[in-house]
Amino acid sequence: VLKLFKLLHRTRQEVFKNDTRALEAARQKINEEFRNNKDETSEEKINELLKIASDVEMILRTSVIQAIHTDSDKIVLVPRKDLLQDNTPYLDKPTKK
């Protein structure tokens, strides 16, 4: 449980880097969820909660992209390096090997 708690906080710091409002909101939400369930004794319920927390961490790490308002009608996306993937160019006529 502690390992996942720490992992969520590390992921939060990476995903919301330089965004103090989002960092604080995520910190409060993570702490609140773990605090609300600290007295849980059912092994089945604990495993379910750990699965949810693990899924949340994976979604944050793989799906969230920061955006910065630069002008009244412009937004700059700031993707992390681990979100970027190599792109395969489109070919109208596939070549045979």
Side-chain angles (χ1 to χ4, degrees):
V1 173
L2 185 57
K3 184 177 178 181
L4 188 55
F5 179 78
K6 289 179 178 182
L7 179 61
L8 276 166
H9 277 291
R10 279 193 297 270
T11 301
R12 165 191 70 92
Q13 289 173 336
E14 182 181 324
V15 169
F16 301 118
K17 188 186 302 184
N18 301 324
D19 186 348
T20 54
R21 263 179 56 190
L23 280 167
E24 182 60 22
R27 184 188 70 77
Q28 288 178 1
K29 185 64 175 174
I30 293 167
N31 291 345
E32 175 187 328
E33 290 298 323
F34 275 82
R35 196 176 308 112
N36 288 344
N37 296 296
K38 71 178 182 178
D39 296 325
E40 186 61 53
T41 57
S42 165
E43 186 174 338
E44 185 177 307
K45 179 69 174 173
I46 291 171
N47 287 334
E48 180 183 330
L49 291 167
L50 289 174
K51 174 74 171 116
I52 291 169
S54 178
D55 290 347
V56 166
E57 189 277 331
M58 191 264 311
I59 289 169
L60 280 173
R61 186 172 24 84
T62 61
S63 302
V64 176
I65 298 177
Q66 283 184 303
I68 301 170
H69 289 275
T70 58
D71 204 357
S72 62
D73 61 345
K74 292 185 181 178
I75 296 176
V76 174
L77 297 179
V78 186
R80 294 178 313 285
K81 287 183 181 181
D82 56 333
L83 289 178
L84 300 176
Q85 299 177 359
D86 288 336
N87 196 3
T88 305
Y90 174 77
L91 298 173
D92 279 335
K93 297 178 183 174
T95 58
K96 293 184 180 180
K97 292 183 179 181

